[in-house]
Amino acid sequence: METERFSGPVIVAMKGPPSSGRSTLAWLLATTFKNYLLIAQDDCIIQLEEALAPSKNIERLNRLSFDIVRQIALTQLRLGHKVIIDGSLFLGSHLESLVQLSESIGARLVVVECKPQDKLVWQQRHLQRVEDDGKVWYKPSTWEELEAVLGLESYDDWSDHDVVPDFSKLVVDTTRHNSDWDITSGVKYLASCAGTQRMDLHQWATEIWQNVDADLWKQSKGDGDEDDGEGEGDDDENSHHHHQLLLVNKRLKIDNGGGDPDDEELGRSICRGCLEPISSPCYYRCGGRGSGGGGGCDLSAHKECAELSNKKEFSFELGNCPDGYCFTEKHRCRNCENKGDDEGIDECPECLFETNLRCAMLPSVILHNCHEHPLCIKTSPVSLDYGFKCKACGDLGKVVSYICECGFAIHPGCALMPRTIKHKTHRHTLSLTSLVQEDDSEDFNCDACEETRNPNHWVYYCEKCEFSCHLNCLTSGA
């Protein structure tokens, strides 16, 4: 899906009734997107309530406090900041005023609607909040008072009173468990792409994110500090070179009349893993360009050194150490050696890649039956806080991944799961697969835990019995 990138001021406006989890999500977004300023309507209300307490005019309190929020937002947007507005947007006039504000300064408006679907959970949350915070005159203290404030029998009706279409919206059911990554990446996507779009969090987590440019939703150090122009600025994650190893077969070239291998680099290349000359006509070479987009990358490796096909045990905690990577020794890439760069190797992905290659901790390349292209290890500096969503299991991953130039990324643990396994929940051997032939039913369940599974994720499968289960349902008893 081709989507044009938006570059400019952004307003993320929270919407939702009391006790919907709206402020919790606003705080999550503000702590994730470092250059977004949080403006909370409740902070303004606290400053106004004493003056308005004698009249107990809630309508006036809401109007004045929102006017203050809007003015603060306007000032910060003019200063070049992006803002998160935490207010209920209960009145249609409030939403209209934010649309007018966004249009007046060319800002992008994204509404995050907290829409609790489980009424019992919502009710319990409301009563717990009243018990924790006590009663205040301008907030409903009982469930009946909350329903009266909404003025309608159900939140669904109130939710649909969006009076203008000129904004994007993410709808979140805040009474179910939601991944922080799904929420923040979904908002990042809507804030980054031009045009307007409406989606719920489930659509984003299961469908949309897989079909759009990752630059629109990926999160890294200082997230929210997007460049004003594509490919420029301080995007450290994009400025680094990440090796993409390609399999070279010189023997095939000779057999097809391509000449003598001695006329090319074969016999002169050195494996950066074992540091021995490469004499085999079949080996790996980096197909990427040099750091900073310069000349070609000359990294080469024996097929055996890159794939580690004979190794049985691997360290999946490689990038999870408190102070960086868990390498037994450290090695410099040629670029850092030539520059005399004394920066720690944990800040250079090429040094990290070559150190892993030399230490043989994880394979540099994996040829997997669940993906049509080779998967190359990506070792990102811990300081960049590189994150991705694993397309094998659907969970969040950080720092180290196996990637493909087509945008595919998975955890090292998922990439190195056994291709076949015997599991206690089934009598036959199960095979790891990305595609299961199902009937026409739209229900996809794990036959081990009987919970719903995502049909886009990998499973262990028995074709004979049509038995399929989540990857994470394989316990130590497997």
Side-chain angles (χ1 to χ4, degrees):
M1 182 185 299
E2 294 294 330
T3 308
E4 184 181 352
R5 186 180 180 90
F6 173 81
S7 180
V10 176
I11 304 169
V12 176
M14 309 303 297
K15 176 181 178 181
S19 306
S20 64
R22 184 190 71 240
S23 295
T24 300
L25 289 197
W27 188 263
L28 169 66
L29 296 174
T31 54
T32 302
F33 305 147
K34 302 302 182 183
N35 72 333
Y36 280 63
L37 301 181
L38 176 61
I39 306 171
Q41 186 176 0
D42 278 352
D43 292 342
C44 300
I45 287 176
I46 290 172
Q47 301 302 316
L48 293 170
E49 65 166 312
E50 185 175 348
L52 296 177
S55 64
K56 288 185 168 48
N57 191 328
I58 296 178
E59 182 179 346
R60 187 182 180 204
L61 180 64
N62 285 328
R63 178 173 54 81
L64 289 176
S65 59
F66 194 82
D67 286 346
I68 295 172
V69 166
R70 187 183 184 281
Q71 187 58 50
I72 294 173
L74 176 60
T75 300
Q76 297 306 318
L77 290 164
R78 285 175 173 170
L79 289 172
H81 298 296
K82 300 173 183 181
V83 299
I84 298 170
I85 295 177
D86 178 17
S88 67
L89 291 188
F90 174 68
L91 299 176
S93 59
H94 289 173
L95 186 57
E96 286 180 315
S97 71
L98 288 185
V99 172
Q100 294 169 3
L101 172 61
S102 65
E103 291 176 344
S104 69
I105 60 173
R108 180 161 183 75
L109 175 59
V110 177
V111 172
V112 180
E113 180 176 5
C114 299
K115 188 175 182 180
Q117 298 284 8
D118 189 323
K119 186 174 181 179
L120 179 59
V121 173
W122 184 15
Q123 184 175 4
Q124 291 174 339
R125 184 182 295 166
H126 176 68
L127 297 176
Q128 186 62 51
R129 194 204 69 180
V130 173
E131 181 179 340
D132 293 341
D133 299 343
K135 296 182 180 180
V136 290
W137 64 271
Y138 55 88
K139 288 184 178 182
S141 58
T142 66
W143 182 252
E144 290 74 19
E145 289 179 1
L146 189 150
E147 288 184 316
V149 167
L150 298 182
L152 297 165
E153 293 183 357
S154 71
Y155 175 62
D156 283 339
D157 294 333
W158 175 77
S159 161
D160 292 334
H161 282 186
D162 289 340
V163 292
V164 283
D166 300 329
F167 58 88
S168 291
K169 183 165 76 169
L170 175 68
V171 179
V172 182
D173 176 5
T174 49
T175 55
R176 63 175 293 177
H177 173 73
N178 297 304
S179 162
D180 288 353
W181 189 94
D182 287 340
I183 296 169
T184 56
S185 61
V187 174
K188 175 78 178 292
Y189 165 67
L190 291 178
S192 300
C193 63
T196 60
Q197 186 170 343
R198 307 290 179 95
M199 64 184 188
D200 63 43
L201 189 65
H202 180 72
Q203 289 176 306
W204 167 252
T206 59
E207 304 171 20
I208 298 174
W209 75 273
Q210 303 182 69
N211 301 312
V212 296
D213 183 358
D215 286 338
L216 295 173
W217 55 259
K218 71 177 183 178
Q219 299 171 47
S220 58
K221 181 182 179 183
D223 206 352
D225 299 325
E226 300 91 352
D227 304 330
D228 289 336
E230 276 194 59
E232 300 178 0
D234 299 325
D235 191 352
D236 293 334
E237 174 63 26
N238 289 330
S239 67
H240 285 299
H241 170 66
H242 292 276
H243 295 298
Q244 282 288 100
L245 297 187
L246 302 177
L247 189 62
V248 177
N249 193 333
K250 295 296 182 183
R251 176 56 58 192
L252 183 61
K253 201 170 186 180
I254 297 169
D255 293 342
N256 291 331
D260 193 314
D262 289 335
D263 293 338
E264 302 183 48
E265 71 270 19
L266 184 58
R268 297 192 297 271
S269 296
I270 300 296
C271 173
R272 296 303 291 271
C274 65
L275 303 183
E276 295 292 331
I278 296 176
S279 57
S280 170
C282 188
Y283 66 98
Y284 280 100
R285 183 176 62 194
C286 182
R289 299 183 62 82
S291 300
C297 175
D298 62 356
L299 183 139
S300 300
H302 290 117
K303 190 173 185 293
E304 297 78 10
C305 294
E307 295 179 1
L308 299 181
S309 54
N310 294 324
K311 188 169 182 177
K312 302 303 180 184
E313 295 184 2
F314 301 98
S315 173
F316 298 124
E317 298 300 314
L318 186 63
N320 294 331
C321 297
D323 299 322
Y325 278 75
C326 303
F327 288 123
T328 55
E329 53 190 67
K330 298 183 178 182
H331 299 278
R332 289 283 188 199
C333 67
R334 285 183 178 174
N335 188 49
C336 288
E337 287 176 351
N338 294 336
K339 291 190 304 182
D341 195 342
D342 58 357
E343 186 182 43
I345 72 159
D346 284 356
E347 295 303 318
C348 174
E350 293 178 73
C351 289
L352 293 169
F353 183 97
E354 294 199 33
T355 297
N356 176 68
L357 184 61
R358 291 280 297 276
C359 296
M361 296 185 72
L362 289 175
S364 298
V365 179
I366 294 177
L367 305 179
H368 209 291
N369 64 291
C370 291
H371 191 67
E372 59 183 329
H373 305 133
L375 301 175
C376 295
I377 194 169
K378 177 176 180 178
T379 47
S380 293
V382 176
S383 62
L384 292 185
D385 196 23
Y386 159 66
F388 63 95
K389 190 167 186 179
C390 177
K391 292 199 175 184
C393 69
D395 290 337
L396 172 66
K398 293 184 177 182
V399 185
V400 183
S401 64
Y402 280 93
I403 65 169
C404 174
E405 58 186 7
C406 69
F408 188 90
I410 60 175
H411 296 115
C414 292
L416 291 166
M417 277 190 162
R419 307 298 171 88
T420 60
I421 197 167
K422 187 67 179 174
H423 190 255
K424 63 183 180 181
T425 61
H426 193 67
R427 64 183 183 275
H428 297 135
T429 298
L430 302 174
S431 299
L432 184 61
T433 182
S434 61
L435 182 63
V436 175
Q437 297 296 328
E438 302 271 11
D439 56 26
D440 296 331
S441 172
E442 295 183 357
D443 295 326
F444 299 92
N445 296 314
C446 170
D447 292 315
C449 69
E450 299 183 352
E451 297 291 335
T452 302
R453 65 174 180 84
N454 189 322
N456 296 316
H457 297 160
W458 294 4
V459 293
Y460 276 102
Y461 183 63
C462 173
E463 184 175 7
K464 183 177 182 179
C465 303
E466 296 186 349
F467 177 97
S468 58
C469 68
H470 295 120
L471 300 185
N472 58 11
C473 283
L474 298 182
T475 65
S476 58

